Amino acid sequence: CSYSPNEVLVGPLGIDYNYLYECVFSDAEFVFYALISIWIVTLMSLLANTASNYFSPTLASICDKLNLSYDIAGVTFLALGNGAPDFFSLIASFSGGVDVLVGVGALLGGGVFVCTVVVGLVAAFCPCDVSKAVFLRDISFHIWAVFCVISIAIVQKINVAIAVSFVVFYCIYVIIVTSASLLKSFRKKTKSKRTTEAGDIALNTFNSN
């Protein structure tokens, strides 16, 4: 086998998939693809099990303890937990000498996977009602973020100001979501208070008669 190992291309568990493909299964590509498919399904199952048994209950507990709505938790804790692996993998790929297009392609490809496969499977197996206004708000921000990335790809130039503007854009999104959630909670409490007061007035009127 003429393949020379490259530490940059070694997987998180120390698995050199290129070495396996080039040397170990060079004459049995079908076996390699079958094993890789099984390995991918196994990793996704472990990830789903971890999220279901640990991440989601922990996030729900944090929301209950801090009295946060799930909208705010979704754009903060959940977004950070979902984006942290992408962030560190991109930093590792860029600092390790890997082509920038590989990291950017992985990031955008992950976004397409979430917006298509994940959304489709969730809609098929766990149907739920989604607020039209909330959906339009989130998808509008997502489209604008993708448009900004496409603009940078066309111009092929980015500076510190543009990079900071991306962070500011996310902060604005969080502020809008938080404000909408707090306003909704305030209106709900006000309505509940008015209903209680109306009931007390009606009860006092009935007792006085």
Side-chain angles (χ1 to χ4, degrees), residues 5 13 20 33 36 42 57 75 80 83 93 96-97 108 110 122 140 149 157 160-161 165 178 189 202:
L13 299 178
L20 294 176
Y33 289 125
I36 286 295
T42 301
V75 300
L80 293 175
S93 63
L108 297 179
V122 170
S140 298
V149 175
K157 183 179 180 180
V160 177
S165 67
T178 303
K189 290 181 180 179

Side-chain angles (χ1 to χ4, degrees), residues 33-55:
Y33 289 125
L35 292 176
I36 286 295
S37 299
I38 296 174
W39 180 236
I40 292 174
V41 172
T42 301
L43 292 177
M44 293 184 67
S45 300
L46 292 174
L47 181 61
N49 183 68
T50 302
S52 177
N53 295 333
Y54 298 98
F55 186 73

Side-chain angles (χ1 to χ4, degrees), residues 18-71:
N18 288 328
Y19 172 77
L20 294 176
Y21 177 79
E22 296 289 344
C23 301
V24 179
F25 297 101
S26 59
D27 297 329
E29 294 184 0
F30 176 78
V31 177
F32 174 78
Y33 289 125
L35 292 176
I36 286 295
S37 299
I38 296 174
W39 180 236
I40 292 174
V41 172
T42 301
L43 292 177
M44 293 184 67
S45 300
L46 292 174
L47 181 61
N49 183 68
T50 302
S52 177
N53 295 333
Y54 298 98
F55 186 73
S56 297
T58 302
L59 183 62
S61 177
I62 292 175
C63 292
D64 294 336
K65 294 291 184 181
L66 299 179
N67 196 23
L68 292 175
S69 66
Y70 290 123
D71 287 343

Side-chain angles (χ1 to χ4, degrees), residues 128-151:
C128 58
D129 295 328
V130 180
S131 173
K132 182 178 180 180
V134 172
F135 180 79
L136 291 176
R137 178 199 65 196
D138 294 342
I139 200 65
S140 298
F141 273 93
H142 182 76
I143 291 174
W144 180 250
V146 173
F147 173 77
C148 293
V149 175
I150 293 174
S151 301

Side-chain angles (χ1 to χ4, degrees), residues 5-22:
N6 189 345
E7 294 183 358
V8 177
L9 301 178
V10 175
L13 299 178
I15 302 175
D16 193 337
Y17 296 101
N18 288 328
Y19 172 77
L20 294 176
Y21 177 79
E22 296 289 344

